[in-house]
Amino acid sequence: MYTNEAMMAGALNLQPDGALGAATLIGANSIQYSGTLYPGQTLAIDYFNPGTREVAVVQSVTGSTVNLVNPLANAHAQGAPVKEVSSMTDVVPAASRYFDDVCYAQNSFDLESVTETRNGIVDREGNLVVSISKYRAQSIESLSFVQILGDTPTLILPAYIDISNKFFLRAQVGLPMCNVQATITYTGGLSPIPGDIQRATTALACRMWKEKDSGFSDVIGNSDLGVLQYKKGLPNDVALIVKHYYRWVP
């Protein structure tokens, strides 16, 4: 996922429900908080601070000690703001997938190792060109191809594969123009997720979350009613970011 509830809470400038009663260290399994919380609730901690904000899930509550499902990834100062954000948890994955959809790049940006079998071509210059699903291959473990199913695969050493293109691999194979089927094992995607993708996805998530109250319509303005209404669609700043990550291949 490319955003989280803490980013949303900060972007929306939501007022804290309370504050940490004591400082915490990285790896802490609990926080001190005087307020009403229940197991399973999601908390945004220190969410106005881009360097340390994070999301935690309540495991149990004993007095002012709130035990967490997972240890904290960051240290936090006493008084750091805390916001209960369980209502946002559904829109975070939805916004991440929405960003994928508008880029025509489903599950392309998270860094992971995958194996794919895809159709490719050998072009006029004898280059094998094959598309991949992830945004930019970081490393290749193996690449092989066949012209006819059932043939013995031709292996290409990773050192001879050009991985500089966003959604393509390219390698010189010295064959005449033809169609091939390639099998690739590689690590692709981005880590960390770039700030502009985080910004775009956070904007989409905030929009989805606010729609429950706003009653968005499909018009920009209504002169008869004299009120400003907002059009459903991709915000302009998000559309500009999408241009840099749009998938131009099948």
Side-chain angles (χ1 to χ4, degrees):
M1 292 186 290
Y2 315 140
T3 187
N4 60 45
E5 295 87 345
M7 293 181 189
M8 290 178 59
L12 291 164
N13 198 30
L14 298 180
Q15 293 302 303
D17 297 323
L20 295 181
T24 68
L25 299 175
I26 295 174
N29 292 299
S30 64
I31 60 173
Q32 294 298 311
Y33 178 81
S34 297
T36 303
L37 293 174
Y38 299 96
Q41 287 184 309
T42 300
L43 307 178
I45 301 175
D46 207 9
Y47 55 94
F48 290 117
N49 187 339
T52 58
R53 63 188 173 199
E54 63 181 306
V55 177
V57 178
V58 177
Q59 183 176 65
S60 61
V61 180
T62 305
S64 61
T65 300
V66 180
N67 299 305
L68 306 174
V69 172
N70 295 308
L72 293 173
N74 300 301
H76 302 285
Q78 182 178 3
V82 177
K83 182 71 178 178
E84 198 279 312
V85 289
S86 299
S87 63
M88 297 179 179
T89 55
D90 289 339
V91 300
V92 169
S96 296
R97 298 292 75 80
Y98 185 17
F99 185 82
D100 282 350
D101 288 343
V102 297
C103 292
Y104 289 91
Q106 285 75 18
N107 195 33
S108 291
F109 302 108
D110 286 316
L111 184 69
E112 59 183 346
S113 296
V114 295
T115 297
E116 300 174 349
T117 298
R118 304 181 68 87
N119 293 326
I121 63 167
V122 177
D123 63 18
R124 288 188 175 89
E125 286 74 40
N127 291 307
L128 169 65
V129 181
V130 59
S131 67
I132 54 176
S133 66
K134 305 297 290 185
Y135 182 89
R136 202 180 301 282
Q138 303 296 336
S139 63
I140 305 292
E141 182 177 329
S142 65
L143 169 60
S144 63
F145 69 93
V146 295
Q147 292 179 256
I148 301 174
L149 294 181
D151 283 356
T152 300
T154 298
L155 299 176
I156 304 176
L157 294 176
Y160 295 98
I161 303 169
D162 179 6
I163 61 175
S164 62
N165 295 289
K166 293 179 182 178
F167 289 107
F168 285 101
L169 300 179
R170 189 184 301 270
Q172 175 61 239
V173 294
L175 294 175
M177 290 183 63
C178 62
N179 296 318
V180 301
Q181 187 177 79
T183 300
I184 318 108
T185 298
Y186 69 102
T187 298
L190 300 169
S191 182
I193 296 296
D196 56 351
I197 292 181
Q198 292 184 1
R199 174 184 169 84
T201 311
T202 300
L204 293 172
C206 291
R207 184 181 180 89
M208 290 178 179
W209 187 73
K210 293 287 285 183
E211 279 181 351
K212 70 184 189 307
D213 301 320
S214 61
F216 279 14
S217 67
D218 288 327
V219 296
I220 295 176
N222 188 319
S223 59
D224 294 333
L225 298 177
V227 296
L228 182 64
Q229 296 177 308
Y230 295 91
K231 185 179 179 181
K232 291 179 180 177
L234 202 62
N236 290 337
D237 57 339
V238 174
L240 291 173
I241 293 171
V242 164
K243 289 171 58 178
H244 297 286
Y245 296 98
Y246 192 85
R247 182 180 176 88
W248 295 102
V249 298

